[in-house]
Amino acid sequence: VLGSSPVTIVVTSEADTWDIDTSSRLGCGQFVDWDKMPEPQQPAQIPRDVLARSPKELKRLMREGCWGWSHAGRARLYPRLIQQVSCRLVTPDALVYRDVAGRLFGKPSVSSHPLPEFLEGCPMPTYCLNPHGVTALKKILICVGTLFPDITHSPLLPALAALLLHYSEDEAQCFESVSRLIASNAPHADYIDQSFLAHQASCMTFGDLANKHCPAAHKLIAGASENVLEVYSEWLSWLFPGLPFGYAVRVLDVFLLEGQKVLYRIALALLKQFRLSVAPAGLQGSDIKAELQAFVRNIAQHVTVDKLLERAFGIRLFSRKEIWLLQMANRKALMERGITVVQRRPSFHLAVDMQNFSSSTVTAQEMRLVWSWIPERFSLFPPLLLFSTSEDGCSLQRFYTCCEGYEPTVLLIKTTEGEV
């Protein structure tokens, strides 16, 4: 015992084998409205020794969706998979949940307990949960707020809890699964952002990755939006709750095994597919965020879930450590801008005021595109004009003198032919 908090030690055999009945409803379902659940389209081929496979083999099976349509398979697999997540020593478990829930909800109704403040403005999808499941979801989130007071902003958390509840035996098991994901301490493998600072840094990181891996889609969005960062700030909502249930659980399968890097992959694949789908007709309206959300809701009309995952894992993404370093750099830039861990969703604006922008070298539209190419952590800050041939002449020495000590810099050149 450490202090007054219980410590749960879980011991599993390396040769963990277990039978899975692939009938659609075995092992889960008390929280589910089965009329809303998608029906299995093919029998699940799940190896009995699936958890004893090598990490590389298990990753392949996850990505290929060998239990993609087995509800019972997920109900048996998810808890065991999450137990393998490395997390802080003192992490609330099912026993703690039963104790806290008993004290919180012993007499008053759930409706008399407000949801945690960190959920303000966050989507709370219910997917295929029945009324009993929706009540259980609220209780779980209230207990999370009680036992994890450091969480100040977490848009992903309600959707993950709702999806896991579909495949949980009871509320306590779902709560324990969520707690382990929150308390994960695996190096460079976060699961859930828990502050506005962390969430905004992940949005900026996605913008950097989109610029590198989806240049055509990035250019399309930069041309249609006044603020690219504002569009990318909703990238997680494309996945949860944006995707249909059948797609969302396939994403959850690989997410539980591989962490947040998977979400970047899927969102980048969606962005690529969006660009391909709108290319012939162009953008139909001025609200690019609404068009992206509508596209994701109707993703089944454009690409199958298997093809989407195949394209996502075909992207040659940075390593998990490199992505983590990029996130840390973005966090540092945000903190220099005055964003703190406890701050909640302040309005964000590009550092360049496009409405009042004036230049003899580039148009406002061209400058918006140029600014979208700059790494997010630098584009947060307003640009400072250091040198201009119209004011400073054409001396190379003068150019270097004016720019000395300023990093990074952007050099814009317009030729006598008008090329920029």
Side-chain angles (χ1 to χ4, degrees), residues 147-161:
L147 292 165
F148 292 91
D150 291 340
I151 300 178
T152 57
H153 184 63
S154 187
L156 185 61
L157 185 55
L160 285 183

Side-chain angles (χ1 to χ4, degrees), residues 47-349:
R48 291 183 57 184
D49 63 341
V50 63
L51 287 183
R53 301 293 181 96
S54 67
K56 184 176 181 179
E57 176 70 5
L58 184 58
K59 190 180 294 186
R60 182 187 67 79
L61 292 172
M62 280 285 197
R63 293 179 179 183
E64 293 178 356
C66 75
W67 47 76
W69 294 105
S70 173
H71 301 312
R74 284 195 177 93
R76 299 290 298 277
L77 175 68
Y78 281 177
R80 292 170 180 254
L81 201 59
I82 292 173
Q83 284 295 332
Q84 296 181 358
V85 172
S86 173
C87 62
R88 297 192 294 266
L89 183 62
V90 181
T91 299
D93 60 8
L95 291 176
V96 173
Y97 175 82
R98 294 188 181 99
D99 176 60
V100 172
R103 287 188 280 111
L104 284 177
F105 312 115
K107 293 182 180 179
S109 64
V110 176
S111 60
S112 66
H113 292 270
L115 289 172
E117 287 188 14
F118 69 78
L119 294 179
E120 182 184 344
C122 298
M124 197 172 88
T126 56
Y127 295 109
C128 303
L129 295 177
N130 57 28
H132 176 48
V134 173
T135 299
L137 175 61
K138 292 178 180 178
K139 291 169 66 177
I140 291 167
L141 292 173
I142 290 170
C143 287
V144 167
T146 301
L147 292 165
F148 292 91
D150 291 340
I151 300 178
T152 57
H153 184 63
S154 187
L156 185 61
L157 185 55
L160 285 183
L163 287 171
L164 289 171
L165 191 57
H166 287 71
Y167 302 103
S168 298
E169 292 182 0
D170 54 24
E171 298 168 20
Q173 184 188 66
C174 180
F175 171 84
E176 181 169 330
S177 295
V178 171
S179 294
R180 293 189 68 85
L181 296 179
I182 292 172
S184 168
N185 61 2
H188 315 135
D190 290 342
Y191 283 89
I192 304 174
D193 292 332
Q194 298 167 44
S195 69
F196 178 77
L197 176 63
H199 171 64
Q200 198 64 29
S202 72
C203 294
M204 292 169 62
T205 300
F206 178 76
D208 289 329
L209 296 175
N211 188 9
K212 177 177 176 60
H213 296 284
C214 310
H218 181 76
K219 183 176 181 180
L220 178 72
I221 291 174
S225 171
E226 292 289 334
N227 190 336
V228 179
L229 178 56
E230 187 179 338
V231 176
Y232 290 150
S233 70
E234 298 190 357
W235 75 280
L236 276 176
S237 69
W238 303 346
L239 308 175
F240 311 111
L243 289 171
F245 180 82
Y247 284 67
V249 291
R250 285 290 301 276
V251 174
L252 183 62
D253 289 344
V254 288
F255 171 72
L256 293 179
L257 185 65
E258 301 184 51
Q260 195 180 54
K261 184 178 177 180
V262 162
L263 303 186
Y264 286 124
R265 286 187 176 280
I266 306 296
L268 289 172
L270 286 171
L271 197 58
K272 283 176 175 281
Q273 187 64 43
F274 173 73
R275 187 258 174 184
L276 292 174
S277 300
V278 303
L283 294 173
Q284 300 301 309
S286 58
D287 192 345
I288 183 69
K289 293 193 293 184
E291 291 205 26
L292 271 164
Q293 292 287 3
F295 168 78
V296 171
R297 281 197 305 272
N298 299 297
I299 189 65
Q301 299 176 12
H302 304 280
V303 63
T304 65
V305 64
D306 289 315
K307 182 59 68 173
L308 179 66
L309 291 178
E310 180 184 326
R311 291 174 180 173
F313 290 107
I315 299 172
R316 296 181 64 85
L317 206 57
F318 296 144
S319 70
R320 186 179 286 113
K321 182 177 180 180
E322 288 171 324
I323 291 177
W324 179 79
L325 290 172
L326 183 56
Q327 285 180 308
M328 292 302 102
N330 285 328
R331 283 175 66 115
K332 181 180 178 181
L334 285 165
M335 293 174 72
E336 291 175 359
R337 181 80 182 270
I339 305 303
T340 66
V341 171
V342 297
Q343 194 165 356
R344 288 183 293 170
R345 302 176 301 284
S347 58
F348 260 80
H349 302 283

